[in-house]
Amino acid sequence: MELSERKKLVLAEIINSYIATGEPIGSKALCNMLGITVSSATLRNEMSELCEMGYLEQPYTSAGRVPTSFGYRIYVHNLMEKESVPDTTRRTIDDLINKAASDPQNLMQTAGQILTDLTGMPVILTTEISENAYVKKVELMPMGRRAMLIALVSSDGVMQSRICRCDADLSAEMVGLFQKIIEDNIVGCEISKITMPFSQNLVAQIGQYALIFMPFLATVTEMAQACGRARINLKGESRIFTCYKNEKQVRGLLDLFSHGSVLKHIVDLAKGDVDVVFGEDTGIDELKMSNAVVAEYRSGDSVAGKIGIIGPARMPYKVIVPGIEYFAQRLSQAVTQAVYDLED
């Protein structure tokens, strides 16, 4: 049955009120909220029909109504009016992302922490890797006589940096030679081909500096392999305790979220720039009344990963959805700029 305009109005108002208060909504309270010339008896009939259609439910006899998962779904897709992200929130996000961008290696982890602090919810963060990803750039920076800072960037925009040491003093000539070895053999090479046997074979071809360069080549290989692994993290796990009040539910979710495959399954269901993933669609019982808001972030024109929050179905979608969307846009700009800076 198609929803009439009045049913849409009733459903939207009930969900908005329930999200704000967490209290079931009765017909008299609804009548006051709507401010329209309709009797509470008429609204009661509308609410009963919405229950029969699966959009609302009555927690217990004589109680008001609360939304079902089906009700949240139609609300998100058809009824809610997204709010503009306030200027103060935009400035806060801009400032925090700009500060995080000063440390490209930890940018994503910092971004995840920022988002969990802003929303008060656990944050899922993924980095996607394409099958044909390759090493785009490797930068070397001497750090004293026997150490180098090595920074590596993949074609997917994933960045790694590490300090590596050796047992001999490094001359400018040796650093230049090692840079040439990297440029000739590593840069432009598909990440899947950069393995320990590949590195060992390269060491055998170097000659007199083989023993000195061995730890540096091993580090570059480890960094390339790390770039080649799709990563998924959950930031702000402790937020589960404040988002969910049921102790048994909290324990179940903590155990569930300890499995990366579950987190990946959730974000894989998200489509497009920003999407709401409904717990019922995951096929996991423990997530039936939990939903996630997930957005893509980019490196240049390519999707670099996804970031989003997960929490109880009762969340302020009309604020959260545009907020996550804006956050992902600013994160995309920071990731793109960080890669550009390393290439420059």
Side-chain angles (χ1 to χ4, degrees):
M1 177 189 291
E2 187 174 341
L3 289 177
S4 66
E5 290 305 312
R6 188 159 65 192
K7 280 186 173 61
K8 290 178 182 179
L9 181 64
V10 167
L11 181 58
E13 190 64 31
I14 288 175
I15 294 178
N16 283 330
S17 179
Y18 183 68
I19 286 173
T21 68
E23 297 294 331
I25 314 302
S27 56
K28 289 184 179 180
L30 180 63
C31 192
N32 293 331
M33 287 186 288
L34 289 174
I36 57 177
T37 56
V38 176
S39 68
S40 59
T42 299
L43 291 178
R44 200 157 43 242
N45 289 334
E46 294 282 21
M47 293 164 72
S48 295
E49 290 179 13
L50 286 167
C51 282
E52 293 173 3
M53 298 167 72
Y55 297 109
L56 298 176
E57 62 184 356
Q58 197 169 21
Y60 48 88
T61 307
S62 78
R65 269 65 169 186
V66 299
T68 62
S69 179
F70 190 35
Y72 282 120
R73 187 187 303 272
I74 194 169
Y75 171 80
V76 168
H77 291 316
N78 303 105
L79 302 180
M80 79 170 183
E81 296 180 1
K82 290 194 294 185
E83 296 183 0
S84 299
V85 181
D87 289 340
T88 53
T89 301
R90 288 174 182 266
R91 285 194 294 270
T92 298
I93 292 173
D94 292 348
D95 290 344
L96 292 172
I97 290 291
N98 287 339
K99 290 177 182 177
S102 63
D103 183 8
Q105 170 66 20
N106 295 307
L107 172 59
M108 298 313 304
Q109 294 301 316
T110 306
Q113 188 60 53
I114 291 170
L115 189 56
T116 193
D117 289 342
L118 288 173
T119 63
M121 297 186 191
V123 168
I124 303 175
L125 175 65
T126 74
T127 302
E128 296 186 3
I129 305 297
S130 67
E131 291 183 4
N132 299 318
Y134 60 89
V135 175
K136 195 168 186 178
K137 190 173 186 66
V138 178
E139 288 282 352
L140 306 178
M141 182 182 299
M143 303 286 288
R145 293 180 303 169
R146 299 190 174 191
M148 281 195 292
L149 171 65
I150 305 175
L152 183 149
V153 183
S154 78
S155 57
D156 288 315
V158 180
M159 291 166 279
Q160 292 279 318
S161 65
R162 297 183 190 176
I163 294 177
C164 183
R165 294 174 172 79
C166 65
D167 295 328
D169 290 350
L170 295 169
S171 65
E173 178 188 358
M174 292 164 68
V175 173
L177 176 59
F178 185 70
Q179 181 75 61
K180 187 175 188 312
I181 291 170
I182 294 297
E183 293 290 338
D184 292 345
N185 298 276
I186 302 291
V187 175
C189 184
E190 288 188 14
I191 287 173
S192 61
K193 295 179 180 178
I194 302 175
T195 61
M196 282 304 174
F198 173 91
S199 177
Q200 291 164 357
N201 183 59
L202 193 55
V203 168
Q205 301 175 37
I206 292 175
Q208 62 175 320
Y209 295 124
L211 290 177
I212 297 174
F213 289 165
M214 189 180 298
F216 297 122
L217 278 174
T219 297
V220 171
T221 301
E222 290 170 2
M223 292 165 64
Q225 291 176 338
C227 286
R229 290 190 292 268
R231 287 169 289 174
I232 184 159
N233 295 288
L234 183 71
K235 301 293 290 185
E237 295 96 326
S238 62
R239 303 289 184 175
I240 296 173
F241 290 93
T242 53
C243 289
Y244 298 88
K245 305 303 180 185
N246 183 293
E247 185 178 342
K248 182 178 179 182
Q249 187 180 22
V250 168
R251 289 200 304 269
L253 289 173
L254 285 172
D255 179 63
L256 192 68
F257 292 155
S258 67
H259 303 286
S261 58
V262 172
L263 300 175
K264 185 176 186 304
H265 176 56
I266 293 170
V267 297
D268 283 349
L269 291 172
K271 307 301 179 186
D273 292 339
V274 61
D275 195 15
V276 177
V277 177
F278 296 91
E280 284 196 350
D281 293 339
T282 66
I284 300 172
D285 288 342
E286 293 88 343
L287 294 177
K288 279 189 176 179
M289 287 308 293
S290 294
N291 296 335
V293 181
V294 181
E296 294 177 339
Y297 67 90
R298 295 175 174 272
S299 174
D301 296 328
S302 303
V303 175
K306 295 180 181 179
I307 188 169
I309 55 92
I310 184 166
R314 180 183 152 249
M315 67 172 75
Y317 298 97
K318 60 184 181 181
V319 175
I320 289 287
V321 171
I324 297 291
E325 188 173 26
Y326 182 75
F327 189 90
Q329 290 170 359
R330 289 293 293 113
L331 180 59
S332 296
Q333 293 169 8
V335 170
T336 300
Q337 185 63 46
V339 173
Y340 175 80
D341 290 344
L342 282 172
E343 291 177 347
D344 193 13

